[in-house]
Amino acid sequence: MNLLSLLNQTSLTVAGLMSGTSLDGIDVAIVRIDGCGVDAKVQLLHFESFPYDDELREKLKQMCSIEHSDVALLCGMNFAIAEKFADAVVQTAAAANMRVDEIDLISSHGQTVWHIPVADETNPFLPKSTLQIGDLSVIAKRTGVTVVGDFRTADMAAGGQGAPLAPYGDFIMFRDEAKGRILQNIGGIGNCTAIPAQGTGTATDAGNLIAFDTGPGNMIMDQVVYELSEGKLSYDADGAWAARGQVNTELLEEMLAHPYFAQLPPKTTGRELFGKTYTATWLKAALERGLAHEDIVATATAFTAHSIARSYQDFIFPQYDMAEVIVSGGGARNRTLLSMLQELLPEQAILTSDELGISGDAKEAILFALLGNDFIHGVPNNLPSATGADCPTIMGKLALP
């Protein structure tokens, strides 16, 4: 489909591409979207996930670390990961029994390398900024499909933090007339969207939601498990290891004293604060205290649960009544984590998005399909109430095949 035809379509088949801070792999959701903006209707046609192998995952971790990254690796990985993205789209189309040319648009989040949500006032060369790699032109040329991506920079240029972007899709897919809902994604980082009950009117209002990064999601848990298992495990399946341990409350409170948690929303974070360096320091302290491995994993899991619950208590519950917490992302499969959340939030029902008919694994890839669709239609697709931007703006950049 040529660009002019694409711009004139009111219904598009879009492949949303997502690779998150957990560095699990590439998620591809092929969806049909009718209309645009907050009233768009989306139907998931097919979803596939492509795990990164251990070597690639460790290279990505290296690239996301100031101590170990280098410009050659960054330059090369920008193209190498784009090849992976393109191949993932081709494989997903095949699994869906579709031709690639039946996809009207690819919308890619890219792989975040570094995120500076607040400018370093002591260094004029470190303004508020963000970097996602996975070159759009490579994806477009390899697939023959128009590509939209690199969304976060436009929000930052408009005064925002470039994140979180999930609230836009959360509002489209999960708003409810009668119930206040919190959408909690638990990927590498945790992010939440609090959507108050919308009432019975026909108007929809995304301007009164609250959204921010709650802190670490799976990032610290996964790295701890990787280190303690000497590289044999990349995550705690079902939370089984944590379930055998006891939480060290003293160490937990020290972790929760991190200054990030006291910051007012809008706020975002990532591997810059809670990545490999933070985890190595914390793990060393836990081992020096003589904690058993299962107790360390349990405490890391409790850190995620408590940071999420305290974020709600500090910033959401004083403003809105919330009936449900709907969890998605890899953390939704961690039974111990969900059990901890339910214990900390006895007045809210803890659900997974799958229970509401929307795949928790596919949710963020669907979101980026929606963002790309709105870019093509010329519709602002950021939420200033979530990101802190000065105004609504159209996020994204275009690459032609």
Side-chain angles (χ1 to χ4, degrees):
M1 181 182 293
N2 64 42
L3 185 57
L4 184 60
S5 298
L6 186 66
L7 296 174
N8 289 327
Q9 294 294 317
T10 58
S11 182
L12 294 176
T13 299
V14 185
L17 271 170
M18 179 66 197
S19 178
T21 52
S22 59
L23 306 178
D24 293 331
I26 303 163
D27 294 332
V28 184
I30 300 178
V31 300
R32 190 71 182 173
I33 304 176
D34 294 307
C36 58
V38 296
D39 293 317
K41 305 300 181 188
V42 60
Q43 176 190 4
L44 178 63
L45 302 179
H46 196 82
F47 173 75
E48 293 285 338
S49 188
F50 302 88
Y52 289 139
D53 60 47
D54 290 342
E55 181 182 18
L56 178 55
R57 184 180 296 109
E58 288 308 304
K59 282 292 183 184
L60 288 169
K61 286 181 185 178
Q62 176 184 339
M63 188 182 59
C64 296
S65 165
I66 287 178
E67 293 82 5
H68 302 105
S69 189
D70 64 70
V71 292
L73 177 62
L74 179 61
C75 183
M77 193 67 82
N78 183 38
F79 273 52
I81 204 75
E83 297 279 2
K84 296 281 188 184
F85 290 163
D87 187 55
V89 173
V90 171
Q91 290 190 57
T92 302
N97 294 315
M98 296 175 63
R99 301 189 315 273
V100 176
D101 63 10
E102 292 180 85
I103 297 172
D104 299 316
L105 181 71
I106 296 171
S107 183
S108 175
H109 169 266
Q111 178 64 61
T112 297
V113 174
W114 203 250
H115 188 70
I116 305 176
V118 179
D120 183 343
E121 295 182 358
T122 67
N123 189 338
F125 301 110
L126 290 177
K128 184 161 55 174
S129 50
T130 190
L131 180 62
Q132 284 73 43
I133 63 170
D135 188 81
L136 305 182
S137 291
V138 172
I139 303 171
K141 300 302 181 187
R142 295 295 176 270
T143 60
V145 179
T146 299
V147 179
V148 176
D150 204 13
F151 293 96
R152 297 185 186 275
T153 55
D155 182 82
M156 279 196 155
Q161 293 197 0
L165 300 187
Y168 187 76
D170 289 339
F171 184 79
I172 292 172
M173 292 186 282
F174 292 98
R175 65 182 184 265
D176 189 89
E177 289 183 355
K179 299 176 187 174
R181 285 174 161 173
I182 299 175
L183 281 299
Q184 178 69 50
N185 182 67
I186 306 177
I189 289 293
N191 55 73
C192 71
T193 305
I195 308 173
Q198 294 296 296
T200 57
T202 57
T204 56
D205 181 13
N208 59 355
L209 58 75
I210 301 171
F212 56 93
D213 286 354
T214 53
N218 303 314
M219 186 177 291
I220 294 173
M221 290 186 283
D222 289 352
Q223 187 65 31
V224 163
V225 167
Y226 180 81
E227 296 292 343
L228 293 179
S229 69
E230 297 180 341
K232 295 174 184 175
L233 300 173
S234 58
Y235 67 100
D236 182 17
D238 293 327
W241 203 352
R244 297 195 297 270
Q246 295 291 321
V247 175
N248 185 289
T249 54
E250 182 181 355
L251 187 55
L252 174 62
E253 287 302 321
E254 290 178 10
M255 298 166 79
L256 291 167
H258 192 289
Y260 177 78
F261 302 115
Q263 293 177 23
L264 297 175
K267 59 179 180 175
T268 58
T269 189
R271 289 189 176 273
E272 306 77 37
L273 286 187
F274 296 110
K276 200 171 182 179
T277 300
Y278 174 92
T279 305
T281 302
W282 178 79
L283 181 56
K284 183 173 182 284
L287 291 169
E288 287 175 349
R289 292 179 187 227
L291 298 187
H293 287 186
E294 58 267 29
D295 296 342
I296 293 173
V297 178
T299 304
T301 305
F303 182 30
T304 293
H306 280 258
S307 63
I308 289 170
R310 288 195 184 187
S311 292
Y312 299 170
Q313 290 155 1
D314 290 344
F315 306 121
I316 297 174
F317 294 160
Q319 298 192 50
Y320 296 126
D321 291 327
M322 292 288 147
E324 297 175 342
V325 176
I326 302 167
V327 184
S328 60
R333 295 190 293 272
N334 187 319
R335 296 176 185 175
T336 301
L337 177 58
L338 294 186
S339 177
M340 288 178 175
L341 274 175
Q342 186 64 82
E343 185 176 343
L344 293 168
L345 301 167
E347 297 182 13
Q348 284 73 40
I350 307 295
L351 309 168
T352 66
S353 64
D354 293 76
E355 294 176 68
L356 299 180
I358 296 177
S359 166
D361 292 333
K363 186 169 81 76
E364 285 204 305
I366 294 171
L367 159 69
F368 282 94
L370 287 165
L371 294 181
N373 179 69
D374 277 1
F375 172 92
I376 290 296
H377 287 94
V379 176
N381 51 5
N382 70 328
L383 283 181
S385 61
T387 65
D390 298 329
C391 59
T393 192
I394 299 170
M395 302 184 298
K397 298 173 185 173
L398 185 71
L400 299 177

